[in-house]
Structure formats: C-alpha cells, structure tokens
C-alpha cells in the first residue's frame, strides 16, 4: 500500500468495525470518508487515547517497531523480542493492526502516522547517530571524524556522508568507551536504559580528546555523546544498543505480574462480604433517615461541612472516610440531594422512599452500581486541594474523571484471582495493564477502591465475592447475594437501664422505628440502642404518639418493658406539643374582622392556603407578591406592609426574581468505560464507504455545478428515468454550499426525494435550494 489511508480503504467492513469499536472516539463525529478517518486516527489526541488502552507488552512491541528501520520484516521483529513466543508477538501485532496503530503486511510492518511523535524516546533510546549529529556544522564533523581516526572525508563531502561514517564507527564503540575511562563509562551507564538525555552547561563547546578535562568532555570528544543544544546531551542509539548488548528492553514479559496473596475459603469470603453488604445498606438508610429529620446545611461553596461529616460519622459509629463514602454513594444513587431554597440543606429524595421499600439485595445493587459509575471520590474528603483548601464531601472538587474506570479495572484485576492480594501487588499489576495512565492518582485511587470495596461488601477478607463477580460480568447479583445475607431478627431485649439490645440485624421496619426513637450506643455482633428524652421526642415529632411507641416496644421486646422506660415515654408525651411553631411566608392584617370573614368564606381563597391566627390576622404560605396579586384578582385592594408596619410602595411594572440556590450537579455521574452500540458502528462504516464512493464519483473541480433553475426539474426527472446518479449543488438553511451525489427517486411538492450517497441515507432537498445539476458518468442503467 502506498499510504496509511490506502491500507484502511483495503480493510474489510469487519476490520473497520473492529477498529471503531476499539477506538470509539474516531466516530465523534463520523468522518466524511476513509481518508478523513486516517487523518483523525493519526491526530495526536486520538493516538494518545489509543495508547492509553495498551498494556506494557503491547507498548514494547510498538516501540520495537519504532526502533527498527521501517518497514519491518516479521522475522526481524520476532528476533528482537527475545524470550517471548512468536504466538504472543503475533497476537499483539494483530491487536495493533486492529486498532490502526500499526499497518501493512507481515513482511512490511509500519507504525501509523502520529505514533512516532507520541514516543520521543522509544524504549528509552535516543536518536540514531545520523540524526543526533545532523545539527553539527561541517568543521565540527570533520574534527570528530579525525579524533576517531577515520579516513579524512573529501573536500566536497556533504554532512550526510560524514554522519554515515560516524554511524558506522559508533556501531562498535567498545574501544572508544574503554579509552574514555571508567568515570566516563559510569556516566554512559546512567543513560543506557533511558532516558537518554542529560543536562550539561555549555554542551556545544568545542572539545578535543587531548584537551578533555572531564568524563563528559571525554565522551563528547569521541562522539559517544551528542550535543543537541547548549544545555542537553544525548546518547546515540548505536552506543546505547552496544551497552545493552543489542537488547532493546532490559526485561520483557507477555504476562502481567501475578496477583499473589493468601487464599481464603470461598464460602467465608462470600459470608463476610454478604454481612458487610447488609451493613452498608442499613448504614445508608440510618444516615438518610436522620438527615430527613435533621438535615445538615449546604456550604456556600457547596458540599458538606467538616463538622457535619464528623457528626454523621459519630451517628453511624464509623470512621469519617466511611461516612464520606456512604454520603457520596447515596448522592450518586440519587437518594440524596440539596434543596433549591436560599438556606439550602441536604435532604433525602423521593426516590429514597421507593428505594427503602425494596429488598436488601436490590438496594445494595443500586448503591454499588452508582459507586462503580460515579466520578466522585470519597477518599478526597478532608484533604487539601491545589489551592490549599479543604476538599469537602459532596463538593465539586471531589470529582475525578478517571475514578470510575480505575475502580472497574481494580475489580477486574481481583476477578482474575481467588487470592487476597495486597494493595501494592494490585498497583503493580495495573501498572503493567495500563502503564500510561496517571501513576500517582491511579495508585491512590486503587488504594481507596480496595478499602471502599470491602466496606460496600464487594470483597470479603480482601478477595472478590461471588456476587461481585456476577455484578462485574453483567449478571444480576441478587440471587448470589441473597444466599449469604444474614437473616434479620424482629425482636429486641429491653433492659432496665433504658437500653435495648438487638441480637442481630433487625428487619427493616423495626430498625427504622428504633433508629427514630432511640440512639445507637454501640454496634458489633449486637446493636445497643439507648432511649433518651431527646430520642423519644424525635419520634413524637415524626408523628408517633406515646401509646404507639409503648405498643411497638411491647410487641417486639422479648422481655417486659421496664417501668422507667414507660415513665419516660409518658412524661415526654405529656409535655409534647404544648407550644406550636408553623410556617408563614406572608400574612394579611386588617382592622375590620368582617373583611377577613368575607375572604375566608370565598371559595377562590382555597388556593391561597390561608390560616386564621386571630380575628384580624390571617397567615398564608404564599410569597407576598403572589398573595398580593391573588387578592387583587379577587377584587380586594391590598397593600404591602413592611416589618415595621409601614406601607411598602411598589411599581406594578417592575418585576424582580428571587435568587434560588443552584441544584448541585454531579459532573461525572457516569464515567464508566465508553461503549458504542453495535448498530451505530455498522452505520458509521456504511457512511464511510458511501463517502468513499461519493468522493470517487465527484468531478475533480472544486465548485459545485450550476444549472438554470427552469432546467433543474427536467434534468432530475430524466435522471430518474435513466436510473442515473447526479451531482447537485445545494445550499442549506445557513446558506452554506455543498456537493451531493444523489439517486433521484421522486420530485413533487417542491422537493426532491433521493438517496444521498454522501450521507448514506434517503434525504429530501428543497428544489429552490438546488443550485445546479450534472449527471455522473457511467452510473446510468443500461437499456433492457
């Protein structure tokens, strides 16, 4: 093939579909033809994204292609990759060709355009000597050739001939390295395995072997280092390969580091993970139930304050990072949001009420699916950002776009083993899988993922559970999880010291009722609840009565309800509700009670949500401007009153909108691996082929055809009769001119209906926007 684009054109439709599936970013938007696809695939950003998906061995093979002189023969490639089977090399080369990062047949393999620019120093090697010394002036090259004892070049020798002489000499530099001395040899060893560049002051100074005073000058004088600018020296590739003993890589393996660790019994892993899955569902429910009664405020900068996070952790009896995880997961699952008013608060959503009615396995699935897909990173809560400010839970600063993919990659790694690998072992494994990904952030995300997976019940004792494996494989984990969930109990043991002991996980309704009327004092194998005046009042505030609380405890206690607890409930219930506090956004006041009698009797006043506080005062939940407009529409003539009792002068033609708090948006709620539907890929390949066909049929002239408008319809009908394709010029609604290759099917109602080969679909064209028409030669049907 003459070019990369020609190679793409020769690929089958299945090959193109595979390439687009592996590199979905190439379809956004769909290129006009395969030439445009080749250009996009060679763009730096596209190449970088494709390289980020490759493992270490695949990158090694690609770098080997860059090091060898292209085109590369198959045997030359296999010969350089020592210690790896030919079958493994073939598998990798097939993958590189499938992704479009390498092209050509086995006898002449090449890297795609743009790949070389992505590797400044492939395999840690510097440029060949002919490139390293290309910037040297002629007199400097002659002096270097003389110092190396090479035959003097002719007077008319060009720099290319002299650099070729240097390249041949440096291919066997053993004697030069020995002559430079041990110190110079040690300096070369520092650059041997990369990076091949070093910093030196005044690197381009003229030096000779007899005047060299330092190891670096000894190397520069003998051509063992090349000065690429005033402060940089580079190790020529030929010298590096000699020092490496003609090996391109120090170590080469086609397999990732093993995920070694202690192996636990599978049943124990599943039971441990199942118990934790039950616990995390209950913890999320407990936190949201409390926040539904006592919602924390939203910071002005967004997020949750450190104090509220600490309070929540104490409430759930967990560490602060676990509390941050519970809150972030609830938010990602849509169970928690912030209110829209000025004094914004964090409150459970209506979806939470539906969620808590489902079984435990379904609720757990909702939580962990949200955790897998969100870009929010709970581990950042409490840390300092780049501006040295605290990162709060539920804040924008906790979003990292790579978080979801790193979580999935970590769990996929755990799915490859039945052991419980250490965090560093997982980091080494993933560093081989995706070596180009951000190392520092990825390593921290891996550590956070492992500890969060344990809390969420995906892993047990460090090993991936059976229900987590089902989730990762796209199956419903409910059946597997249900098998290992602990059986909840529906009773407690109430003691005389105003405490109740739950001997196991409680059924949902009883757990919710106890969390409302008592505080959790300790957790573990058994949960201890303590009854206090404040906790009992909390239940009464939620609409329960004292008798309902007593009946609930009597039904679910295996021991008689102690008298002190009965007295506590009755005493709090007797004092509860003596004072009442309501909400009124506005009020109506008058000196004539009869006017308010008339207003309250009016049926139209039902929508005003009025409540009479006194004979001359009515409260309303409507805002003052809304209440004024409503009363005026009913025939009254109210005026606005200030807080001091004065009349507020308003202009009916002046309108103001009250500022509302912006609803927090999760900027990375769905950052899972990019996937494209198969039908979209099929359509994209069809459009690329159609674009190729249209580009082949279009005349070479740049300007679209022009035809008198009166002749357009006749020529279109003639083309329909002959079954010919025509080339039309067309103006869109923005006045942009374009060329189309179409097959006319119908002309009626001022429109042309035709198959547009450049779009691979049936289109309608307004006749008055067609600027010209010309038949494409050789496309008419032959006569029968």
């Amino acid at each position: 093939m003459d070019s990369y684009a020609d190679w793409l054109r020769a690929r089958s439709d299945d090959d193109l579909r595979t390439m687009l599936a592996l590199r979905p970013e190439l379809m956004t938007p769909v290129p006009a033809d395969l030439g445009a696809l080749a250009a996009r695939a060679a763009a730096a950003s596209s190449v970088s994204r494709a390289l980020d998906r490759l493992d270490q061995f695949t990158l090694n093979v690609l770098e080997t292609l860059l090091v060898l002189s292209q085109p590369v023969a198959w045997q030359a490639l296999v010969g350089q990759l020592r210690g790896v089977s030919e079958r493994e090399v073939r598998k990798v080369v097939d993958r590189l060709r499938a992704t479009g990062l390498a092209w050509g047949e086995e006898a002449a393999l090449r890297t795609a355009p743009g790949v070389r620019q992505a590797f400044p120093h492939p395999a840690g090697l510097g440029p060949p000597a002919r490139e390293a010394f290309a910037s040297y002036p002629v007199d400097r090259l002659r002096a270097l050739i003389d110092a190396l004892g090479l035959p003097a070049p002719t007077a008319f020798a060009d720099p290319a001939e002299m650099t070729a002489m240097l390249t041949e000499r440096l291919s066997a530099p053993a004697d030069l390295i020995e002559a430079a001395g041990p110190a110079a040899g040690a300096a070369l060893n520092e650059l041997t395995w990369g990076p091949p560049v070093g910093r030196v002051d005044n690197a381009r100074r003229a030096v000779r072997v007899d005047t060299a005073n330092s190891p670096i000058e000894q190397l520069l004088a003998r051509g063992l280092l090349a000065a690429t600018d005033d402060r940089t020296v580079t190790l020529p590739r030929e010298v590096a390969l000699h020092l490496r003993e003609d090996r391109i890589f120090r170590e080469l393996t086609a397999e990732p580091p093993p995920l070694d660790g202690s192996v636990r019994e599978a049943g124990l892993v599943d039971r441990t993970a199942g118990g934790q899955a039950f616990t995390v569902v209950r913890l999320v429910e407990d936190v949201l139930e409390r926040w539904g009664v006592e919602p924390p405020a939203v910071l002005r900068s967004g997020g949750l304050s450190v104090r509220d996070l600490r309070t929540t952790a104490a409430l759930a009896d967990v560490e602060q990072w676990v509390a941050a995880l519970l809150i972030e997961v609830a938010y990602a699952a849509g169970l928690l949001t912030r209110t829209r008013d000025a004094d914004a608060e964090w409150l459970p959503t209506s979806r939470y009420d539906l969620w808590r009615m489902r079984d435990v396995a379904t609720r757990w699935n909702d939580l962990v699916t949200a955790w897998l897909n969100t870009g929010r990173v709970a581990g950042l809560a409490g840390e300092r950002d780049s501006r040295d400010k605290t990162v709060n839970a539920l804040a924008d600063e906790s979003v990292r776009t790579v978080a979801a993919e790193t979580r999935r990659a970590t769990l996929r790694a755990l799915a490859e083993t039945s052991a419980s690998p250490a965090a560093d072992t997982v980091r080494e494994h993933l560093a081989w899988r995706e070596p180009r990904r951000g190392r520092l952030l990825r390593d921290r995300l891996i550590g956070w993922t492992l500890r969060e997976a344990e809390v969420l019940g995906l892993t047990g004792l460090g090993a991936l559970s059976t229900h987590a494996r089902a989730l990762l494989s796209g199956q419903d984990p409910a059946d597997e999880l249900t098998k290992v969930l602990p059986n909840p109990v529906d009773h407690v043991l109430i003691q005389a010291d105003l405490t109740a002991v739950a001997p196991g996980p409680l059924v949902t309704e009883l757990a919710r009722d106890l969390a409302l009327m008592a505080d959790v004092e300790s957790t573990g194998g058994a949960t201890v609840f303590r009854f206090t005046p404040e906790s009992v009042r909390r239940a009464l505030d939620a609409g329960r009565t004292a008798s309902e609380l007593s009946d609930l405890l009597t039904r679910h206690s295996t021991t008689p309800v102690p008298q002190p607890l009965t007295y506590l409930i009755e005493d709090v219930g007797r004092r509860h509700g003596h004072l009442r506090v309501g909400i009124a956004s506005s009020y109506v006041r008058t000196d004539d009670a009869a006017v308010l009698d008339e207003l309250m009797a009016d049926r139209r006043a039902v929508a005003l949500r009025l409540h009479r506080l006194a004979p001359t005062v009515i409260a309303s939940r409507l805002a003052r401007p809304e209440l004024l407009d409503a009363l005026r529409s009913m025939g009254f003539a109210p005026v606005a009153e200030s807080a001091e009792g004065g009349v507020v002068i308003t202009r009916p033609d002046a309108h103001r909108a009250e500022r509302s708090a912006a609803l927090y948006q999760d900027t990375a709620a769905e950052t899972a691996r990019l996937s494209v539907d198969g039908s979209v890929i099929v359509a994209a390949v069809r459009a690329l082929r159609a674009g190729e066909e249209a580009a082949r049929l279009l005349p070479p002239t740049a300007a679209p055809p022009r035809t008198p408008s009166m002749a357009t319809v006749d020529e279109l009908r003639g083309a329909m009769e002959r079954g010919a394709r025509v080339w039309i010029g067309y103006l869109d609604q923005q006045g942009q001119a374009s060329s189309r290759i179409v097959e006319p099917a119908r002309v009626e109602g001022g429109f042309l209906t035709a198959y547009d080969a450049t779009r691979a679909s049936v289109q309608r064209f307004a006749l008055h926007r067609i600027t010209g028409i010309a038949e494409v030669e050789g496309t008419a049907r032959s006569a029968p």
Side-chain angles (χ1 to χ4, degrees), residues 272-287:
T272 303
Q276 191 56 43
F278 186 94
T279 300
V280 77
V281 170
R282 185 57 49 79
L283 285 174
V284 169
E285 186 176 355
D286 290 346
V287 169

Side-chain angles (χ1 to χ4, degrees), residues 489-492 506-515 552 556:
V489 298
D490 61 352
H491 61 273
V492 294
L506 297 172
V507 294
T508 301
E509 288 300 325
L510 180 56
R512 186 179 300 120
D513 290 334
L514 275 180
L552 173 71
H556 292 284

Side-chain angles (χ1 to χ4, degrees), residues 22-106:
L22 294 172
R23 301 174 66 178
E25 65 275 2
L26 298 179
M27 291 190 298
T28 311
V30 177
D33 51 37
L34 290 170
L37 176 65
R40 185 175 297 174
S45 59
S46 178
V47 170
S48 178
R49 294 186 67 174
L51 294 175
D52 287 345
R53 302 184 182 105
L54 303 183
D55 59 47
Q56 185 62 62
F57 181 58
T58 306
L59 287 174
N60 291 155
V61 174
L62 190 59
E63 289 179 285
T64 303
L65 289 174
L66 290 171
V67 170
L68 300 177
S69 179
Q70 298 187 20
V72 180
W74 175 255
Q75 291 303 324
L77 175 63
V78 174
Q80 283 292 343
L81 298 171
R82 304 168 188 169
V84 180
S85 67
E86 185 173 348
R87 181 178 61 86
E88 294 289 347
V89 177
R90 188 178 302 279
K91 186 190 304 182
V92 168
V93 171
D94 289 343
R95 180 185 179 188
L96 290 173
R97 295 173 67 198
T99 57
L101 293 172
W103 65 282
E105 303 303 323
E106 284 190 0

Side-chain angles (χ1 to χ4, degrees), residues 56 256-259 422-435 439 442-443 446:
Q56 185 62 62
L259 290 165
D424 288 340
T425 303
V426 178
R427 292 187 181 101
E428 292 176 5
H429 182 89
L430 291 181
W432 188 94
R433 290 286 187 191
E434 296 177 337
R439 189 65 180 265
R442 180 186 62 194
D443 286 351
I446 291 171

Side-chain angles (χ1 to χ4, degrees), residues 161-383:
E161 294 179 14
M162 290 185 278
T163 54
M165 296 172 64
L166 289 174
T167 300
E168 183 178 358
R169 179 67 180 89
L170 292 177
S171 298
D175 57 326
L176 299 177
I177 297 173
E178 183 179 358
L188 287 179
N189 290 335
E190 293 293 326
L191 304 177
T192 297
W193 293 103
V197 295
R199 289 288 185 181
V200 176
D201 291 334
N202 195 16
R204 284 184 169 172
R205 60 187 180 274
V207 292
R208 299 195 309 272
V209 173
D210 56 344
T211 61
N213 295 321
S214 67
I216 299 300
E217 289 186 351
Q218 291 284 352
L219 296 174
L220 288 170
R222 290 173 171 81
L224 297 173
L225 288 180
T228 54
D229 59 41
D230 290 336
R231 295 179 55 84
T232 306
V233 293
T234 300
L235 180 65
R237 182 173 298 176
E238 292 80 3
V239 179
L241 288 175
H242 169 80
L243 294 170
R244 296 184 182 189
E245 299 177 349
D246 289 331
R247 290 181 299 162
I248 294 180
F249 300 101
R250 179 180 292 175
E251 296 179 356
L252 190 63
T253 176
E255 298 296 332
L259 290 165
D260 296 328
S262 57
V263 178
R264 312 281 186 175
E265 192 265 323
L268 177 61
V269 169
D270 290 343
R271 290 192 299 272
T272 303
Q276 191 56 43
F278 186 94
T279 300
V280 77
V281 170
R282 185 57 49 79
L283 285 174
V284 169
E285 186 176 355
D286 290 346
V287 169
L288 294 185
E289 284 291 325
R290 177 58 63 89
W291 281 21
V293 179
E294 301 174 3
V298 178
L299 295 175
R300 286 186 299 174
S301 58
L304 183 74
S305 70
V306 175
R307 181 185 62 184
D308 288 328
L309 178 62
R310 190 181 300 115
T311 301
T312 302
L315 166 69
D317 193 21
V318 295
E319 297 182 53
Q320 289 191 36
W321 70 265
V322 178
L325 173 64
L326 300 175
I327 295 166
E328 293 283 9
V329 169
Y331 181 85
L335 309 179
L336 176 69
T337 190
R338 59 179 293 178
T339 58
R340 296 173 179 267
D341 50 25
D343 298 325
E345 296 174 322
W346 293 107
L347 282 173
T349 64
S350 57
R351 182 178 179 181
Y352 165 70
D353 296 316
L354 299 175
W355 175 81
R356 71 177 185 175
M357 296 172 64
R358 299 171 181 163
D359 60 88
V360 174
T362 302
R363 286 188 282 168
W364 177 84
N365 188 29
D366 291 342
L367 294 177
V368 296
T369 301
W371 173 75
L372 279 173
N373 293 335
T374 186
R376 311 193 60 81
V377 180
L380 291 171
E383 297 199 351

